[in-house]
Amino acid sequence: MPKKRHQTKYSKPQSTAPASLSSTGSNNNESRSVNQLLESLRRVGINNGPHRSSPLAVHPTVPPVIRNILQLPETPAPRPRRPVRRDASGRRLPPGPAAPRSWVSPSAPVWRRRSRKGQTAAFALRPLPCDYDYLPAKGSLMDMALRRMASDWEFQKEYCQQYLYDLPTHMRMPLVRYVTLYHRDGVCISDLRAILLPPPPDPEDQEEVTVEEEDPSSVNENFTHLDLTGSCGRSLTLRELSDLLSRPPPEAAELPDSWDAADEKAGPATPAAVSVPRQLLPKLTHLSLAVDPDTPASSISWRHLLTFASQHQNLTHLSLAFWPEPNLTPNAKFSSVVSDDGRIVQYGGTGAYSHTLDDDWSEAVMILSRLSRSLYELEYLDLTGCASWSPALWTREDHDAVDWVRHWGKMTTVLLCPGYELPDDGDSVGEVIDYRKLLNHRRMLERHVRSARAGQGRIFTVESNTKVPEWYVAE
């Protein structure tokens, strides 16, 4: 009885034998089609091991009509593309991850000055001349450390309050500027006290041996630059600054009851010396009091500036960028009183139409004249954004005017510009005329000072950091 032969079925495809071991291998390869050869290669790849990557699945595409006749499955849809990233202005950003915030953030705060039509133009204040001498190099270790310290100033001021005063002067001067620029609230009076004055004694660490501390005036003797850009009128007032820098005098010694009663060893008694208020920064020469353009005029006091100038007459570089028009009573600009005979009299020295209709610059000329008599060492004056009241610099009102020969005879540079830039398109005729008038103030001031000096003294120039339009032609 013949034996039954059962053909075994393998769950895995059988690997093809090499052509050298089979006598009929060459004949089979010649008779195989291309699809059969590809199928055999796939089997060989599967049997070689699981670590080898399988070939990518290729989905052939056919026309829709033929696909419906052959009842083929639909071709899978392509993978969706990533959404296109765009910036705030709508421009397409380059592919890849977004740049870190530290790369795209500006190195210095950019203030915006609004024009009359509500249009804004970016405008950044530049530091005073010679400020780059004490500032650390950009990208250096000190630059990164001070910038990080200023951005986290609230914690650093509390944690390092015992060490800020002991820092070298060449580190404390840029620290004030970095806190002004990179701290969200600017510099306040407590920040200046922490940097310029010794910390209060700790009651827990009282030692028996007391060491006399050095006078802060001698410690801050080489402190020559003080940058308070954007802080004046916002987080700091000039009265607070004056009280800090001009400290009260030390207590005078008690006078003896009798001039004849004197110690034999000490000699005859002498009256107590009259003490003068000592300056905390005796060699301060560079001061920046530039204000934010959005700061209200009522928070800026010219009266306090005149008091401060009388106490610091050794200033050589001063910045009053974006200061309002000189006025001792800014809150009374729109106020008036009625006299006994029934006439309406302006309450303050400057009214709402004093400069535009009446062409009255008497109060502004008086204030600037007093300022020039106090700051007679001034060599550089930054008046960015002050072109609207610049006629007070050359106007004479009743024997009162700014003396550019004696009082400000050392002045060599005045930075004067409108403080904003007109856009390239959409300018009205009135906007262009007013802007041209402000630009002409530079030439008028330069001519006035040069004619007053009559070729003698120092060379005087009026600079501007605003881009001059192409249509502007000096008159």
Side-chain angles (χ1 to χ4, degrees):
M1 192 171 176
K3 295 182 180 180
K4 294 182 180 180
R5 296 181 179 180
H6 299 280
Q7 185 177 3
T8 59
K9 296 181 180 180
Y10 298 95
S11 60
K12 294 183 180 181
Q14 186 178 1
S15 61
T16 57
S20 61
L21 299 179
S22 177
S23 60
T24 60
S26 60
N27 298 332
N28 294 336
N29 290 338
E30 294 177 357
S31 61
R32 286 182 180 182
S33 62
V34 177
N35 293 335
Q36 292 176 354
L37 293 175
L38 293 176
E39 186 69 21
S40 63
L41 291 176
R42 294 192 186 98
R43 292 176 182 176
V44 173
I46 294 175
N47 295 333
N48 285 343
H51 299 286
R52 297 188 60 179
S53 59
S54 60
L56 297 176
V58 179
H59 301 281
T61 58
V62 294
V65 179
I66 299 178
R67 185 177 64 247
N68 294 336
I69 295 174
L70 301 178
Q71 297 181 357
L72 297 177
E74 295 184 0
T75 305
R79 296 176 58 185
R81 294 183 177 180
R82 294 182 179 179
V84 180
R85 296 186 301 111
R86 300 182 182 276
D87 58 1
S89 59
R91 294 177 299 181
R92 185 173 181 177
L93 296 176
R101 183 176 301 178
S102 59
W103 292 9
V104 297
S105 59
S107 58
V110 177
W111 294 346
R112 297 188 176 272
R113 180 71 170 176
R114 293 188 176 274
S115 60
R116 298 181 182 179
K117 298 191 298 181
Q119 300 168 343
T120 60
F123 189 80
L125 288 176
R126 66 179 184 181
L128 293 174
C130 304
D131 279 5
Y132 300 99
D133 298 341
Y134 78 95
L135 293 177
K138 187 176 182 181
S140 61
L141 178 60
M142 185 180 296
D143 173 65
M144 293 186 292
L146 293 178
R147 185 177 304 181
R148 180 72 179 114
M149 190 174 183
S151 60
D152 194 17
W153 178 244
E154 293 296 336
F155 172 77
Q156 297 293 339
K157 183 177 66 172
E158 183 69 22
Y159 186 76
C160 304
Q161 59 179 340
Q162 301 293 332
Y163 311 102
L164 293 176
Y165 178 71
D166 296 332
L167 291 176
T169 305
H170 71 274
M171 294 183 62
R172 289 186 296 154
M173 286 192 300
L175 179 59
V176 176
R177 175 175 173 81
Y178 276 69
V179 175
T180 303
L181 296 181
Y182 299 106
H183 187 48
R184 61 181 182 275
D185 297 332
V187 174
C188 60
I189 192 63
S190 61
D191 302 335
L192 295 179
R193 287 197 183 99
I195 297 175
L196 301 177
L197 293 178
D202 191 356
E204 298 180 359
D205 298 339
Q206 290 183 353
E207 299 180 357
E208 297 181 359
V209 179
T210 59
V211 180
E212 293 185 1
E213 296 183 355
E214 192 175 0
D215 186 19
S217 298
S218 58
V219 175
N220 301 321
E221 187 176 4
N222 296 327
F223 206 104
T224 58
H225 295 68
L226 185 61
D227 193 340
L228 304 176
T229 302
S231 299
C232 185
R234 183 164 58 102
S235 59
L236 181 68
T237 61
L238 277 177
R239 173 175 290 182
E240 295 175 343
L241 185 62
S242 300
D243 296 342
L244 174 64
L245 299 185
S246 300
R247 299 177 299 161
E251 297 181 358
E254 296 181 359
L255 295 176
D257 297 336
S258 176
W259 295 108
D260 299 332
D263 190 4
E264 297 179 356
K265 297 182 180 180
T270 56
V274 179
S275 56
V276 181
R278 298 170 299 170
Q279 294 185 1
L280 185 60
L281 305 178
K283 294 184 179 180
L284 180 63
T285 56
H286 293 64
L287 177 64
S288 177
L289 298 177
V291 301
D292 193 332
D294 297 331
T295 303
S298 57
S299 60
I300 307 299
S301 176
W302 283 89
R303 188 187 303 274
H304 295 161
L305 178 62
L306 295 176
T307 305
F308 180 85
S310 62
Q311 300 171 356
H312 300 81
Q313 299 181 354
N314 55 347
L315 290 176
T316 59
H317 294 70
L318 178 65
S319 175
L320 299 178
F322 295 104
W323 269 59
E325 57 187 10
N327 192 352
L328 296 179
T329 55
N331 296 329
K333 184 176 181 179
F334 301 95
S335 302
S336 59
V337 294
V338 180
S339 60
D340 297 337
D341 54 356
R343 294 184 301 174
I344 299 177
V345 182
Q346 184 177 294
Y347 182 79
T350 302
Y353 306 102
S354 296
H355 299 165
T356 55
L357 298 181
D358 301 336
D359 196 19
D360 182 12
W361 298 91
S362 56
E363 186 179 16
V365 171
M366 182 266 298
I367 294 175
L368 294 178
S369 178
R370 291 176 56 185
L371 185 66
S372 65
R373 287 194 294 267
S374 299
L375 302 179
Y376 50 85
E377 296 286 342
L378 209 59
E379 300 176 4
Y380 179 92
L381 182 60
D382 185 2
L383 296 179
T384 301
C386 304
S388 58
W389 52 266
S390 58
L393 296 172
W394 63 80
T395 304
R396 175 175 293 274
E397 293 284 349
D398 299 335
H399 309 287
D400 199 1
V402 178
D403 193 348
W404 292 94
V405 179
R406 292 186 304 166
H407 299 157
W408 274 353
K410 296 182 180 180
M411 184 82 69
T412 58
T413 305
V414 172
L415 182 60
L416 183 64
C417 61
Y420 66 96
E421 296 178 359
L422 290 179
D424 297 335
D425 52 352
D427 301 333
S428 62
V429 178
E431 188 83 8
V432 173
I433 293 176
D434 293 343
Y435 198 77
R436 183 193 298 271
K437 183 179 179 181
L438 296 179
L439 293 178
N440 289 334
H441 288 174
R442 299 181 304 162
R443 183 64 60 87
M444 298 175 66
L445 176 60
E446 192 171 11
R447 290 177 179 176
H448 170 77
V449 176
R450 291 184 177 181
S451 62
R453 295 182 180 180
Q456 300 179 358
R458 302 186 179 184
I459 300 176
F460 180 80
T461 57
V462 179
E463 298 179 356
S464 175
N465 56 359
T466 303
K467 181 181 178 181
V468 179
E470 298 179 356
W471 47 260
Y472 172 73
V473 178
E475 298 179 357

